[in-house]
Amino acid sequence: METSLGQARLVLASGSPRRRDLLAHFGIPFAVVPSGADETANGTGRTQVAALARRKGADVFTRHAHLPVLAADTLVCLDDQVLGKPTDEADARRMLRALSGRWHSVHTGVCLHVPGGAVLERVETTRVRFAKLDEAAIARYVATGEPMDKAGAYAVQDIGGIFVERIEGSPSNVIGLPLATVAALLTAAGLIQGE
């Protein structure tokens, strides 16, 4: 549950409402402190999300080193091409056309900075298959505005979910925070009890 820094046992280094909602499932009082770190990285999608999650977490941890800081970064990759957030509606339409009728990968890097200096990190990958989309469906979806701040130009948990035929791997990873992976890191840090 989200709370103030004074009451928190954990800091979420993200302003994403989707990550806030998912982290609340653990019942740990957490505060939200978005990172101001540079969000450019090079390499494969997996390499980039790992580096960006680490960087975001480190940025917030420098200011709140008395609490564990959880950071995450998610990218959509089609073949070897990274599909970030669309720059405009034409870019969103381009991405959706590229995803149409194909499998793609969603990578999320998760990093937990723990007081005392430990850094626990993992990358989770989920495969997603899109239905074949016609131009009318793409235009209707882009007109909703939903694709504009989403990696890969869609949100599986909202309207964009109508395009998803299959998911192989963690469904919550596609939303932006792989719950089983986060549970493993929180357990390793002693924030929740293991089985």
Side-chain angles (χ1 to χ4, degrees), residues 38-104:
D38 175 28
E39 293 197 36
T40 57
N42 295 312
T44 66
R46 286 181 62 86
T47 303
Q48 288 185 47
V49 295
L52 292 172
R54 191 178 316 113
R55 188 180 307 155
K56 289 177 181 180
D59 174 63
V60 173
F61 191 67
T62 59
R63 291 174 273 143
H64 303 286
H66 63 291
L67 288 169
V69 173
L70 180 72
D73 192 79
T74 302
L75 286 174
V76 172
C77 295
L78 180 63
D79 301 324
D80 291 327
Q81 180 186 9
V82 173
L83 302 179
K85 295 177 183 177
T87 56
D88 56 26
E89 289 186 357
D91 195 34
R93 286 192 295 272
R94 176 192 64 80
M95 288 185 195
L96 292 165
R97 278 187 210 105
L99 294 171
S100 175
R102 299 191 59 199
W103 283 96
H104 62 274

Side-chain angles (χ1 to χ4, degrees), residues 4-16:
S4 66
L5 272 168
Q7 309 247 323
R9 291 184 47 224
L10 176 68
V11 174
L12 175 63
S14 173
S16 164

Side-chain angles (χ1 to χ4, degrees), residues 23-42:
L23 187 57
H25 293 328
F26 292 101
I28 299 169
F30 68 93
V32 172
V33 180
S35 168
D38 175 28
E39 293 197 36
T40 57
N42 295 312

Side-chain angles (χ1 to χ4, degrees), residues 61 65 112-120:
F61 191 67
L112 181 64
H113 290 258
V114 183
V119 179
L120 310 173

